[in-house]
Amino acid sequence: MTTREHWRFTQPRISSFPCWMVQKLDQKLPVANEYLLLSGGVREGVVDLDLDELNVYARGTDYDMDFTLLVPALKLHDRNQPVTLDMRHSALCHSWLSLRLFDEGTISKWKDCCTIVDHISGATNYFFSPTKVADWFYDSISIVLSEIQKKPQRGMPKVEKVEKNGTIISIILGVGSSRMLYDIVPVVSFKGWPAVAQSWLMENHFWDGKITEEEVISGFYLVPACSYKGKKDNEWRLSFARSEVQLKKCISSSLMQAYQACKAIIIKLLSRPKAISPYHLRSMMLWACDRLPANYLAQEDYAAHFLLGLIDDLQHCLVNKMCPNYFIPQCNMLEHLSEETVMLHARKLSSVRSDPAEHLRTAIEHVKAANRLTLELQRRGSTTSIPSPQSDGGDPNQPDDRLAKKLQQLVTENPGKSISVFINPDDVTRPHFRIDDKFF
């Protein structure tokens, strides 16, 4: 087993130990598997998944650090492996996955996680079901964790909570005095690049010359999420999380800071009714990086400018109900919004734009309160010390009150003006994760 990103301060087994035990349980998971560990939970938008079915967890109250772990149930990396992505019944960026051309052993192994469709010719077609796979995965992880709790071993993390949120399994593990939230997502892993996204490769992009095309198109996933009118039991969503890990190498720290500030202000504000997720912000940012000059985006002291641009462009996207997927631009991720929802959130954004500094200060106070709660809970708990990124000492993942002051100055000096820039939501400024042997 290998991982693409490791947490620097713990062994990889802390995040993946339930998964290799699930493989031993019924041998369904690939033996030589490759897990992708991402900084930030699903609620932070690191993967394009639906958030409506997720329980609400609060940083500080429920957990101290959060991650997303993509676990391939099927790993289709063999060029000779026949794969049938059936997009005839799906919205753009979604697909059914047929096992019709797979060998009998694979079909027999996964038959209970498939929906069955009888063809007019009399042939039986098995479609890999995201909901059934998620149900199997949750049941298997629950069995494994129950056994672990019966026979705890030295060095293993303490399991504090296990919940199924739609097709996602959320686990909170206690390691020393820290609580780590892992959103575990069963996926289908592919090498190469899907034909539906082939035209995107023909365009010019901000990352040209900074990383190679081979790094960007090394693989993609199907994640268990359906379109708004799709069939939940059959439809998967294409995900380019592996590519996004590579693209974040090209984003400057000042852009990152502005994104984190915007996310802190906006996401809770627009959470009901659900309209904008952190993943939408990420897609908007990537498009803006394509259209704006690289030397402008690299300005170290422009974080406040970038934040104003984020708010303005978000307003534009909402009013026009238009947010193209970065990799499949013909897929508009906001076309399902009602006019009522659009106008409600547009008014909320106008309120933020009228006094962004005050909204940012409020968000900063919420973050600091969560940090204080985390530290207090750690003092009450184990005396074991594990480095925690959630402290008042200046986490670059969180909004900074210096940015609020700079923002207030810009608003005062430039009434009515805005700059359209979007930021990558992933944190590449902290040396907690690595890709291959390089830390970011």
Side-chain angles (χ1 to χ4, degrees):
M1 186 278 296
T2 59
T3 55
R4 289 301 238 184
E5 289 188 278
H6 297 280
W7 189 35
R8 190 179 183 184
F9 299 121
T10 62
Q11 298 179 6
R13 67 175 181 172
I14 286 183
S15 61
S16 62
F17 81 94
C19 303
W20 61 259
M21 296 184 74
V22 167
Q23 196 284 327
K24 290 176 63 178
L25 190 66
D26 59 10
Q27 285 80 51
K28 281 188 175 180
L29 292 181
V31 176
N33 216 350
E34 182 180 67
Y35 305 123
L36 182 66
L37 180 64
L38 303 169
S39 173
V42 167
R43 296 159 187 79
E44 296 296 312
V46 297
V47 181
D48 183 15
L49 287 167
D50 301 325
L51 307 183
D52 295 345
E53 298 180 316
L54 296 185
N55 291 334
V56 176
Y57 299 147
R59 185 185 298 272
T61 303
D62 300 303
Y63 66 91
D64 307 310
M65 292 161 276
D66 55 334
F67 308 94
T68 298
L69 184 67
L70 304 188
V71 178
L74 285 178
K75 192 175 75 165
L76 306 179
H77 289 189
D78 185 349
R79 290 181 181 272
N80 298 318
Q81 175 71 57
V83 177
T84 305
L85 290 179
D86 190 341
M87 300 183 178
R88 295 173 299 170
H89 312 290
S90 302
L92 284 168
C93 210
H94 298 80
S95 178
W96 293 21
L97 177 61
S98 171
L99 301 188
R100 181 171 57 88
L101 300 179
F102 282 62
D103 60 85
E104 287 297 327
T106 300
I107 294 176
S108 177
K109 183 190 298 184
W110 286 107
K111 187 179 295 185
D112 58 340
C113 291
C114 292
T115 59
I116 301 174
V117 178
D118 292 324
H119 194 268
I120 192 171
S121 66
T124 298
N125 202 348
Y126 295 92
F127 288 97
F128 206 45
S129 169
T131 54
K132 291 188 176 185
V133 170
D135 289 341
W136 161 80
F137 196 46
Y138 174 71
D139 291 342
S140 298
I141 281 186
S142 298
I143 292 171
V144 165
L145 294 180
S146 176
E147 291 300 314
I148 290 174
Q149 290 173 311
K150 290 178 184 177
K151 301 176 182 178
Q153 298 180 22
R154 183 179 179 85
M156 281 294 198
K158 177 184 177 183
V159 180
E160 298 193 357
K161 181 179 290 187
V162 183
E163 289 187 334
K164 185 172 182 288
N165 294 291
T167 55
I168 300 161
I169 293 89
S170 298
I171 301 177
I172 296 179
L173 301 177
V175 182
S177 59
S178 293
R179 299 154 302 162
M180 297 185 289
L181 168 62
Y182 287 96
D183 288 324
I184 304 180
V185 186
V187 300
V188 180
S189 174
F190 295 84
K191 283 289 188 185
W193 200 247
V196 69
Q198 197 66 35
S199 61
W200 176 79
L201 296 176
M202 303 298 106
E203 305 295 333
N204 294 323
H205 297 291
F206 73 99
W207 47 266
D208 292 337
K210 299 176 183 177
I211 53 178
T212 66
E213 184 175 289
E214 287 71 23
E215 289 177 287
V216 174
I217 65 171
S218 61
F220 67 100
Y221 297 98
L222 295 182
V223 297
C226 74
S227 60
Y228 282 84
K229 294 183 179 180
K231 293 185 177 181
K232 287 188 175 183
D233 287 344
N234 288 338
E235 195 170 82
W236 299 77
R237 181 173 298 161
L238 275 73
S239 169
F240 301 91
R242 187 191 298 268
S243 302
E244 289 161 2
V245 167
Q246 300 299 326
L247 295 183
K248 73 179 182 181
K249 298 177 182 180
C250 308
I251 308 298
S252 70
S253 59
S254 58
L255 300 183
M256 300 292 292
Q257 183 187 22
Y259 172 82
Q260 295 297 341
C262 185
K263 185 169 66 171
I265 296 171
I266 296 301
I267 295 308
K268 187 172 290 187
L269 184 71
L270 304 186
S271 62
R272 292 291 183 273
K274 183 63 66 179
I276 296 294
S277 77
Y279 191 82
H280 292 128
L281 293 181
R282 173 188 297 210
S283 297
M284 296 174 196
M285 170 276 302
L286 291 173
W287 282 117
C289 286
D290 272 356
R291 78 173 182 265
L292 293 169
N295 58 350
Y296 175 77
L297 295 173
Q299 295 292 326
E300 294 183 359
D301 58 347
Y302 273 27
H305 297 72
F306 300 157
L307 177 53
L308 293 177
L310 269 168
I311 297 170
D312 288 337
D313 272 12
L314 181 56
Q315 181 85 296
H316 177 80
C317 289
L318 257 179
V319 170
N320 290 280
K321 294 199 295 185
M322 176 60 69
C323 179
N325 181 285
Y326 182 64
F327 301 95
I328 305 177
Q330 59 269 37
C331 173
N332 176 15
M333 297 187 290
L334 296 184
E335 66 179 356
H336 64 280
L337 294 183
S338 68
E339 292 297 331
E340 182 182 6
T341 297
V342 166
M343 295 313 298
L344 173 64
H345 288 317
R347 286 193 292 269
K348 291 180 180 179
L349 279 177
S350 294
S351 173
V352 171
R353 188 59 175 86
S354 67
D355 193 357
E358 181 57 34
H359 283 83
L360 181 56
R361 289 191 182 97
T362 300
I364 291 169
E365 289 306 313
H366 288 162
V367 170
K368 288 182 176 180
N371 291 339
R372 288 192 293 269
L373 181 56
T374 292
L375 293 173
E376 177 61 27
L377 290 172
Q378 288 177 343
R379 279 193 290 267
R380 294 178 184 177
S382 170
T383 57
T384 303
S385 177
I386 289 183
S388 171
Q390 302 304 318
S391 67
D392 285 344
D395 179 7
N397 225 4
Q398 305 296 352
D400 189 329
D401 53 6
R402 289 173 298 178
L403 179 57
K405 296 175 183 177
K406 176 65 175 177
L407 184 59
Q408 185 64 63
Q409 179 184 346
L410 282 172
V411 172
T412 302
E413 295 175 354
N414 301 278
K417 297 182 180 179
S418 65
I419 302 165
S420 299
V421 179
F422 291 95
I423 336 308
N424 192 324
D426 292 324
D427 177 18
V428 298
T429 60
R430 291 160 48 200
H432 289 183
F433 290 83
R434 67 185 182 192
I435 303 168
D436 299 327
D437 292 324
K438 296 181 180 179
F439 285 88
F440 295 90

